[in-house]
Amino acid sequence: NLTLRLQSVFQKLKGKGTLSEQDVSRAMREIRRALLQADVNFKVVKDFIAEVETEAVGSDVFSGLNPGQHVIKLVNQHLIKLLGEKVSKLKVASKPPTTVMLVGLQGSGKTTACAKLARLIKQAHRFPLLVAADVYRPAAIDQLEKLGAKLEIEVFSRGKQDPVKTATEAVDYSRQKGWDTVIIDTAGRLHIDEELMNELKMMKQKVEPTEILLIADAMTGQDAVNIASSFDEQLGIDGVILTKMDGDARGGAALSIRAVTGKPIKFVGMGEKLEMIEQFHPDRMASRILG
Amino acid sequence: FLGAKKMSPELLEELEEALILADVGFDTVEKIVAKVNEDLQRKELSRPDVVKNSVKEAIVEILSSGVTPNVPSIENTKQRPYVSLIVGVNGTGKTTTIAKLAHRYKQMRFTPILAAADTFRAAAIEQLTIWAERAGVDIIAHKEGGSPAAVVFDAVAAANSGKGEMVIVDTAGRLHTKKNLMAELAKIRRVAATNAEGAPHEILLVLDATSGQNAISQARQFSEWLEGLTGIVLTKIDGTAKGGVVVTIADELSLPILFLGTGEKIEDLVRFDARAFVNALIE
Ligand SMILES: Nc1nc2c(ncn2[C@@H]2O[C@H](COP(=O)(O)OP(=O)(O)OP(=O)(O)O)[C@@H](O)[C@H]2O)c(=O)[nH]1
Ligand SMILES: Nc1nc2c(ncn2[C@@H]2O[C@H](COP(=O)(O)OP(=O)(O)OP(=O)(O)O)[C@@H](O)[C@H]2O)c(=O)[nH]1
Ligand SMILES: [Mg+2]
Ligand SMILES: [Mg+2]
């Protein structure tokens, strides 16, 4: 437990008011270990520690706190600041429909997230249309259609036709029928798959989405920076949904993704049921990462 | 007198970075470094190539610790039907891996039957049914929402009636922290044992190579609830993630990594090779 480890680092510091460089560097070694165990990326940890270290040295221990608690409080503050704004809503297009593309690696939770977002949109008295643009995965269209049926939300699909064509037809269809929000489910893909990344670029070009959301698994390890930066550089993402946060993954990927893209984490998936999606809370995420 | 012999701080930092970036956890890295410091002579510790090889050897050794002649396989087991239970958290690639295994075992002239025991997730049964068609194998499936244990029971019955000699059971993804779901899985395992002597002969945990340290928690919990796993399949190694977390898992649980998932097609499954894996880990 981090608090206990830091307390043992600072055992000889009772009564001292300020932290010396040596005290801090020993504390930072514990913080570094905690962040790496939480899956925060190695390089992100390095930068983060450097930043906190400069502030910690010579700082006055907050009254009422022991030095260990003081360091944790500083780290926590920095984490919260890095993790970003609390209320991050979905953009609404000035001219309907609002179009949202969900992208990400295989199995990250995109199809489920599409349905969850559609449900929220419907709850907000808007008119969502789900689009089945994953033409590769066996029964992907079935999956989205079943979720849509459960929510009584229409699912637009054109079978195995070119997904870019399906997406553009869906937007036209939404204008005809008065659906004001189009949510596009795409196939999982690797950021290093040139052909499939080009497909997304083409879809973006033709559909001109209001928002592109990267769907990332909360248990993602060091690779989170590669995935996020690649999707952001190649496609441009507007925000992130971190899924499977109902598990016990510390979720350091959140910090890595935020640090490397600067984009907000807008929602977190908290379960398999369609109502299990919540706003992202940076303060809760910070304590979770620190363990 | 000359101080404890250790590799230089620069070399240490370089190694640490490479291993941690590969998702080999902090504590496991410390353990490997300690072993290398101990095994090598002082003069060897200043030679990066010697140190690197020593690190690789240490990891190969850890990965091979679970590879004993007792690792069950249909090739080395006489009991029929041979039952293989496929488990893991959500989205790791279980269903796709089952398709690949079915393809592989069919090519080896075994007759696998698939059991669609994920009766929970939307279109899970449809997904496996399509894969069964592609692999050219039979599938036992009930309705969505039905009892997974009943599907397993029927699949074993089908095997016993001569439909096939092997049953590969697909289960719903579930987080290891969900007690009721893990209890359900333990029940599926018990049901697999009825009417099939020695079943389940294999319990394979499917892990996603992009996952970080949480995979260790997954392995521990699945192993505990199922009273032991027989092996691991590491999927999505065709991405940029290196899957180093299996080093800690092999170390802690002495589990063999049996296969790697290298893509989304039915042929994209390879036998795990520790040396090749370790070379990719540190390059
Ligand atoms: N526990 C939990 N499971 C989730 C969550 N979100 C999705 N899942 C599960 O994760 C698995 C994968 O979800 P999908 O929505 O199929 O993932 P995907 O990204 O569309 O997968 P591909 O289309 O194959 O790339 C399913 O079993 C979902 O039920 C979540 O927030 N919590
Ligand atoms: N690139 C790559 N993708 C894979 C691999 N194995 C599976 N996938 C993809 O990962 C996604 C999830 O695969 P599934 O087989 O549905 O995973 P699952 O564990 O059965 O998911 P749940 O049943 O929802 O828990 C699909 O899009 C697969 O095509 C692999 O080795 N490499
Ligand atoms: Mg999907
Ligand atoms: Mg499945």
Side-chain angles (χ1 to χ4, degrees), chain B residues 29-48:
Chain B
V29 173
E30 282 195 334
K31 177 171 177 178
I32 293 169
V33 166
K35 182 165 202 310
V36 169
N37 275 324
E38 190 172 320
D39 289 353
L40 295 185
Q41 308 279 10
R42 182 182 302 280
K43 62 173 163 60
E44 292 176 305
L45 281 172
S46 60
R47 296 191 42 204

Side-chain angles (χ1 to χ4, degrees), chain A residues 73-91:
Chain A
K73 184 165 163 112
L74 273 181
V75 171
N76 208 39
Q77 284 177 344
H78 270 261
L79 277 179
I80 293 173
K81 190 153 146 280
L82 232 187
L83 286 167
E85 320 94 52
K86 176 171 180 197
V87 194
S88 202
K89 300 201 141 61
L90 283 185
K91 295 189 199 140

Side-chain angles (χ1 to χ4, degrees), chain A residues 106 146 219 221 223 246 248, chain B residues 126 176 178 212 214 240 264:
Chain A
Q106 291 89 346
K146 288 199 177 183
M219 66 180 188
D223 203 40
D246 45 316
D248 61 357
Chain B
E126 286 84 337
H176 49 295
K178 313 241 158 138
N214 192 251
T240 49
E264 302 191 70

Side-chain angles (χ1 to χ4, degrees), chain A residues 29 32-33 36-39 41-43 46 105-108 136-139 142-143 146-147 160 188-192 196 217 219-223 226-227 244 246-250 270-273, chain B residues 13 16-17 20-23 26-27 30 89-92 120-123 126-127 130-131 134 144 173-178 181 208 210-215 217-218 221 236 238-242 264:
Chain A
R29 238 171 284 154
R32 178 173 177 263
R33 181 170 181 268
L36 288 176
Q37 287 181 328
D39 293 321
N41 182 270
F42 188 90
K43 301 183 177 121
K46 209 170 186 184
L105 254 56
Q106 291 89 346
S108 56
Y136 308 105
R137 168 173 157 153
D142 275 306
Q143 185 185 2
K146 288 199 177 183
L147 296 179
K160 303 254 167 178
R189 69 204 63 214
L190 299 175
H191 47 296
I192 52 173
L196 286 182
D217 196 320
M219 66 180 188
T220 310
Q222 297 290 308
D223 203 40
N226 301 327
I227 300 165
K244 308 176 204 171
D246 45 316
D248 61 357
R250 298 260 292 273
M270 289 299 290
E272 290 191 79
K273 299 210 175 88
Chain B
E13 155 103 33
E16 255 193 0
E17 178 165 348
I20 291 195
L21 284 176
D23 283 312
F26 189 91
D27 291 344
E30 282 195 334
V89 303
N90 308 70
T92 56
F120 170 74
R121 207 212 65 217
E126 286 84 337
Q127 184 187 9
I130 292 171
W131 278 120
R134 290 184 188 179
E144 196 166 297
R174 69 203 66 217
L175 294 183
H176 49 295
T177 46
K178 313 241 158 138
L181 297 181
D208 189 326
T210 63
S211 47
Q213 301 306 297
N214 192 251
S217 179
Q218 294 169 27
Q221 288 301 315
K236 310 179 199 171
D238 45 314
T240 49
K242 307 244 172 133
E264 302 191 70

Side-chain angles (χ1 to χ4, degrees), chain B residues 215-227:
Chain B
I216 301 167
S217 179
Q218 294 169 27
R220 280 185 201 134
Q221 288 301 315
F222 273 91
S223 180
E224 200 163 312
W225 280 95
L226 293 169
E227 298 169 38

Side-chain angles (χ1 to χ4, degrees), chain B residues 94-95 118 121 124 127 170-171 173:
Chain B
K94 298 176 291 303
T95 304
D118 176 357
R121 207 212 65 217
Q127 184 187 9
D170 191 12
T171 61

Side-chain angles (χ1 to χ4, degrees), chain A residues 107-118:
Chain A
S108 56
K110 296 172 295 302
T111 305
T112 309
C114 280
K116 288 177 174 179
L117 285 180

